[in-house]
Amino acid sequence: MTTFGLDFIAIPSQDAERSRSFYVDTLGLRPDDRARFEFWVGETCCGIWEPDRVGRTFAPQRNGHLALGVDDVAAARAELEAKGIAFLGDTFDTGVCHMAFFRDPDGNDLMLHHRYAPRT
């Protein structure tokens, strides 16, 4: 098999309108102008889908975090906390990057991320 890219990331939801509002309005991600339930993180398309509508069982995505790249994790975290977003513990410093973990309204794992060490 030969692959040529990552077409999109599927975000499971129990309420696509609520999820769209969270990702577009709360997080400020760029909506797709052609598909209501798609939004963009940089050059990666994310598509919200409701598994229950197609005969599948909803389950939140855990431990496969969307790592949202930001310039300043502390500032971005404070901005989201002011909007009512609860974070899962303290901001983590790996010695290479800062990470702060939280979840969307459906319980999907998300992360604010900033790499501060140069790539070698």
Side-chain angles (χ1 to χ4, degrees), residues 9-41:
I9 296 172
I11 308 293
S13 178
Q14 294 177 304
D15 182 336
E17 288 291 346
R18 178 190 64 200
S19 290
R20 183 185 190 281
S21 177
F22 176 78
Y23 285 98
V24 172
D25 300 329
T26 303
L27 297 184
L29 300 175
R30 181 172 48 98
D32 188 289
D33 59 1
R34 297 170 295 168
R36 176 151 183 81
F37 298 110
E38 292 182 2
F39 59 91
W40 293 84
V41 180

Coordinates of all heavy atoms in Angstrom, one line a residue, residues 9-41:
I9 N -9.0 13.9 9.8 CA -9.2 13.3 11.1 C -10.6 13.3 11.5 O -11.3 14.4 11.5 CB -8.3 14.0 12.2 CG1 -6.8 13.8 11.8 CG2 -8.6 13.4 13.6 CD1 -5.9 14.7 12.7
A10 N -11.2 12.2 11.9 CA -12.6 12.1 12.2 C -12.8 12.3 13.7 O -12.1 11.7 14.6 CB -13.2 10.7 11.9
I11 N -13.7 13.2 14.1 CA -14.0 13.6 15.5 C -15.3 13.0 15.8 O -16.4 13.6 15.3 CB -13.9 15.1 15.7 CG1 -12.7 15.7 15.1 CG2 -14.2 15.5 17.1 CD1 -11.4 15.4 15.9
P12 N -15.5 12.0 16.6 CA -16.8 11.5 17.0 C -17.5 12.4 17.9 O -17.0 13.0 18.8 CB -16.5 10.1 17.6 CG -15.1 10.3 18.3 CD -14.4 11.3 17.3
S13 N -18.8 12.5 17.7 CA -19.7 13.4 18.5 C -21.1 12.8 18.7 O -21.5 12.0 17.8 CB -19.8 14.7 17.8 OG -20.6 15.6 18.5
Q14 N -21.7 13.2 19.7 CA -23.1 12.8 19.9 C -24.0 14.0 19.5 O -25.2 13.9 19.5 CB -23.4 12.5 21.4 CG -22.6 11.2 21.8 CD -22.8 10.9 23.2 OE1 -22.5 11.6 24.1 NE2 -23.3 9.7 23.5
D15 N -23.4 15.1 19.2 CA -24.2 16.3 18.8 C -23.2 17.2 17.9 O -22.4 18.0 18.4 CB -24.6 17.1 20.0 CG -25.4 18.3 19.7 OD1 -25.3 18.9 18.6 OD2 -26.2 18.8 20.6
A16 N -23.4 17.0 16.6 CA -22.5 17.7 15.7 C -22.5 19.2 15.8 O -21.5 19.9 15.7 CB -22.7 17.2 14.3
E17 N -23.7 19.8 16.0 CA -23.8 21.2 16.1 C -23.1 21.7 17.3 O -22.4 22.7 17.2 CB -25.3 21.7 16.2 CG -26.0 21.5 14.9 CD -25.6 22.5 13.8 OE1 -24.9 23.5 14.1 OE2 -26.0 22.3 12.6
R18 N -23.2 21.0 18.4 CA -22.5 21.4 19.7 C -21.0 21.3 19.4 O -20.2 22.2 19.8 CB -22.9 20.6 20.8 CG -22.2 20.9 22.1 CD -22.4 19.8 23.2 NE -21.9 18.5 22.8 CZ -22.3 17.4 23.3 NH1 -23.2 17.3 24.2 NH2 -21.7 16.3 22.8
S19 N -20.5 20.3 18.8 CA -19.1 20.1 18.5 C -18.6 21.2 17.6 O -17.5 21.7 17.8 CB -18.8 18.7 17.9 OG -19.0 17.7 18.9
R20 N -19.3 21.5 16.6 CA -18.9 22.6 15.6 C -18.8 23.9 16.4 O -17.8 24.6 16.2 CB -19.9 22.7 14.5 CG -19.5 23.8 13.5 CD -20.5 24.0 12.4 NE -20.0 24.9 11.4 CZ -19.8 26.2 11.4 NH1 -20.2 26.8 12.5 NH2 -19.3 26.8 10.4
S21 N -19.7 24.2 17.2 CA -19.6 25.4 18.0 C -18.4 25.4 18.9 O -17.7 26.4 19.0 CB -20.9 25.6 18.9 OG -20.8 26.7 19.7
F22 N -18.1 24.3 19.5 CA -16.9 24.2 20.4 C -15.6 24.4 19.6 O -14.8 25.3 20.0 CB -16.9 22.8 21.1 CG -15.6 22.6 21.9 CD1 -15.5 23.2 23.2 CD2 -14.6 21.9 21.4 CE1 -14.4 23.0 23.9 CE2 -13.4 21.7 22.2 CZ -13.3 22.3 23.4
Y23 N -15.5 23.7 18.5 CA -14.2 23.8 17.7 C -14.1 25.1 17.0 O -13.0 25.7 17.0 CB -14.1 22.6 16.8 CG -13.7 21.3 17.5 CD1 -14.7 20.4 17.8 CD2 -12.4 21.1 17.8 CE1 -14.4 19.2 18.5 CE2 -12.1 19.9 18.5 CZ -13.0 19.0 18.8 OH -12.7 17.8 19.5
V24 N -15.1 25.6 16.5 CA -15.1 26.9 15.7 C -15.2 28.1 16.6 O -14.4 29.0 16.5 CB -16.1 26.9 14.6 CG1 -16.2 28.2 13.9 CG2 -15.8 25.7 13.6
D25 N -16.2 28.2 17.4 CA -16.5 29.4 18.2 C -15.6 29.4 19.5 O -15.0 30.5 19.7 CB -17.9 29.4 18.6 CG -18.9 29.5 17.4 OD1 -18.5 30.0 16.4 OD2 -20.0 29.0 17.5
T26 N -15.5 28.3 20.2 CA -14.7 28.4 21.5 C -13.2 28.3 21.2 O -12.5 29.1 21.7 CB -15.2 27.2 22.4 OG1 -16.6 27.3 22.6 CG2 -14.4 27.3 23.7
L27 N -12.8 27.3 20.4 CA -11.4 27.2 20.1 C -10.9 28.1 19.0 O -9.7 28.3 18.9 CB -11.0 25.7 19.8 CG -11.3 24.7 20.9 CD1 -10.8 23.3 20.4 CD2 -10.6 25.1 22.2
G28 N -11.8 28.6 18.2 CA -11.4 29.5 17.1 C -10.8 28.9 15.9 O -10.0 29.5 15.2
L29 N -11.0 27.6 15.7 CA -10.5 26.9 14.5 C -11.2 27.3 13.3 O -12.4 27.7 13.3 CB -10.5 25.4 14.8 CG -9.7 25.0 16.0 CD1 -9.8 23.5 16.2 CD2 -8.2 25.4 15.9
R30 N -10.6 27.2 12.2 CA -11.1 27.7 10.9 C -12.2 26.8 10.3 O -11.8 25.6 10.0 CB -10.0 27.9 9.9 CG -10.4 28.5 8.5 CD -9.2 28.8 7.7 NE -8.1 27.8 7.6 CZ -8.0 26.9 6.7 NH1 -8.8 26.9 5.6 NH2 -7.0 26.1 6.7
P31 N -13.4 27.2 10.1 CA -14.4 26.3 9.5 C -14.2 26.1 8.1 O -13.6 27.0 7.4 CB -15.7 27.1 9.8 CG -15.3 28.5 9.9 CD -13.9 28.5 10.5
D32 N -14.6 25.0 7.5 CA -14.5 24.8 6.1 C -15.7 25.5 5.5 O -16.8 25.4 5.9 CB -14.6 23.2 5.8 CG -14.3 22.9 4.4 OD1 -15.2 23.2 3.5 OD2 -13.2 22.4 4.1
D33 N -15.5 26.2 4.4 CA -16.5 26.9 3.7 C -17.4 26.1 2.9 O -18.5 26.6 2.4 CB -16.0 28.1 2.9 CG -15.0 27.7 1.8 OD1 -14.7 26.5 1.7 OD2 -14.5 28.6 1.2
R34 N -17.1 24.8 2.7 CA -17.9 23.9 1.9 C -18.6 22.8 2.6 O -19.6 22.3 2.2 CB -17.1 23.2 0.8 CG -16.4 24.2 -0.2 CD -15.4 23.6 -1.0 NE -14.3 23.2 -0.1 CZ -13.3 22.3 -0.5 NH1 -13.3 21.8 -1.7 NH2 -12.4 22.0 0.4
A35 N -18.2 22.5 3.8 CA -18.8 21.4 4.6 C -19.0 21.9 6.0 O -18.0 22.3 6.7 CB -17.8 20.2 4.6
R36 N -20.2 22.0 6.5 CA -20.6 22.5 7.8 C -19.9 21.9 8.9 O -19.5 22.5 9.9 CB -22.1 22.4 8.0 CG -22.5 22.9 9.3 CD -23.9 23.5 9.3 NE -24.2 24.0 10.6 CZ -23.9 25.2 11.1 NH1 -23.2 26.0 10.4 NH2 -24.3 25.6 12.3
F37 N -19.6 20.6 8.9 CA -19.1 19.9 10.0 C -17.6 19.5 9.8 O -17.1 18.5 10.4 CB -19.9 18.7 10.4 CG -21.3 19.1 10.8 CD1 -22.4 18.8 10.0 CD2 -21.5 19.8 12.0 CE1 -23.7 19.2 10.3 CE2 -22.8 20.2 12.3 CZ -23.9 19.9 11.5
E38 N -16.9 20.4 9.1 CA -15.5 20.2 8.9 C -14.8 21.5 9.3 O -15.4 22.6 9.2 CB -15.1 19.8 7.5 CG -15.5 18.4 7.1 CD -15.2 18.0 5.7 OE1 -14.5 18.8 5.0 OE2 -15.5 16.9 5.4
F39 N -13.6 21.4 9.9 CA -12.8 22.6 10.3 C -11.4 22.2 10.1 O -11.0 21.1 9.9 CB -13.1 23.0 11.8 CG -12.8 21.9 12.8 CD1 -11.6 21.9 13.4 CD2 -13.8 21.0 13.1 CE1 -11.3 20.9 14.3 CE2 -13.5 20.0 14.1 CZ -12.3 20.0 14.7
W40 N -10.5 23.2 10.2 CA -9.1 23.1 9.8 C -8.3 23.4 11.0 O -8.5 24.4 11.7 CB -8.8 23.9 8.6 CG -9.5 23.5 7.4 CD1 -10.7 23.8 7.0 CD2 -8.9 22.6 6.4 NE1 -11.0 23.1 5.8 CE2 -9.9 22.4 5.4 CE3 -7.7 21.9 6.3 CZ2 -9.7 21.5 4.3 CZ3 -7.5 21.1 5.2 CH2 -8.5 20.9 4.2
V41 N -7.2 22.6 11.2 CA -6.2 22.9 12.2 C -4.9 22.9 11.3 O -4.4 21.9 10.9 CB -6.0 21.7 13.2 CG1 -4.9 22.1 14.2 CG2 -7.4 21.5 14.0

